[in-house]
């Protein structure tokens, strides 16, 4: 039985993400990070949004709040971030990168850029735009479902 294009596409997306993770894994290990727990996304987000709340991180990094709390604990244990009480709301913490966290986040960004270059090699800007538009539409379809 021949695969339909939708099955093929789903398989390619799965394999693409797995291969991307394989490529990045050695760099993550060198940095002391765990791939697949959102650590890199959190660090990259804090690089531009330092001092935000846990809720903001969860929303912008698309992470479950429970998972996020444990991940933040791990990053804090590694000395990459710290929690501070929000002076305007004592019930809320603000999350800040440490100096070491800033260095690690910059290295994570560099790793992502290198991986993106490899992944997009040989594709024209027009092809990338079409691919982006298609994936955005698919994501919208799943969000509406």
């Amino acid at each position: 039985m021949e695969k339909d294009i939708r099955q093929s596409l789903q398989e390619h997306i799965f394999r693409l993400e797995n291969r991307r993770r394989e490529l990045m894994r050695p760099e993550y290990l060198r940095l002391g990070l765990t791939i697949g727990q959102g650590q890199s996304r959190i660090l990259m987000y804090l690089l531009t949004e330092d001092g935000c709340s846990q809720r903001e991180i969860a929303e912008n990094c698309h992470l479950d709040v429970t998972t996020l709390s444990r991940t933040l604990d791990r990053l804090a244990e590694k000395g990459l971030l710290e929690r501070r009480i929000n002076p305007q709301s004592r019930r809320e913490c603000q999350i800040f990168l440490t100096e070491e966290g800033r260095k690690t986040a910059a290295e994570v960004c560099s790793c992502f850029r290198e991986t993106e270059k490899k992944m997009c090699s040989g594709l024209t800007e027009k092809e990338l735009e079409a691919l982006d538009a298609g994936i955005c539409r698919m994501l919208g379809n799943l969000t509406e479902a």
Side-chain angles (χ1 to χ4, degrees):
M1 186 162 121
E2 196 173 305
K3 279 189 206 174
D4 121 334
I5 189 67
R6 288 158 192 80
Q7 288 174 314
S8 180
L9 183 59
Q10 188 168 337
E11 186 176 310
H12 288 312
I13 290 170
F14 177 76
R15 289 180 63 214
L16 177 68
E17 179 57 13
N18 279 344
R19 183 64 190 121
R20 187 185 68 83
R21 285 178 183 220
E22 286 173 20
L23 197 58
M24 295 174 75
R25 182 170 279 112
E27 188 65 14
Y28 275 45
L29 291 174
R30 184 185 71 74
L31 295 171
L33 301 175
T34 305
I35 201 160
Q37 292 184 353
Q39 293 177 345
S40 59
R41 279 184 280 161
I42 293 167
L43 292 173
M44 288 173 48
Y45 182 71
L46 288 172
L47 201 54
T48 58
E49 302 296 328
D50 212 20
C52 62
S53 70
Q54 224 172 284
R55 179 186 49 77
E56 290 170 307
I57 294 171
E59 287 173 7
N60 289 285
C61 293
H62 311 288
L63 295 169
D64 174 68
V65 178
T66 309
T67 303
L68 175 64
S69 186
R70 286 191 302 264
T71 302
L72 291 176
D73 288 343
R74 286 188 193 104
L75 292 171
E77 288 167 11
K78 293 176 184 185
L80 301 177
L81 60 80
E82 61 185 11
R83 292 177 172 103
R84 298 182 200 157
I85 300 294
N86 183 342
Q88 280 79 39
S89 172
R90 298 184 59 74
R91 290 186 293 164
E92 184 179 82
C93 283
Q94 293 174 299
I95 314 297
F96 291 89
L97 288 174
T98 62
E99 197 53 46
E100 187 63 30
R102 259 185 262 304
K103 290 176 190 172
T104 302
E107 290 188 62
V108 167
C109 286
S110 177
C111 178
F112 266 91
R113 280 192 301 273
E114 286 303 311
T115 303
E116 286 167 3
K117 277 186 206 173
K118 291 173 185 170
M119 191 166 63
C120 297
S121 177
L123 294 170
T124 67
E125 204 60 32
K126 192 171 186 167
E127 289 171 322
L128 289 171
E129 288 170 5
L131 186 57
D132 184 58
I135 290 173
C136 283
R137 183 178 285 165
M138 293 167 82
L139 183 58
N141 291 344
L142 291 175
T143 301
E144 290 174 12

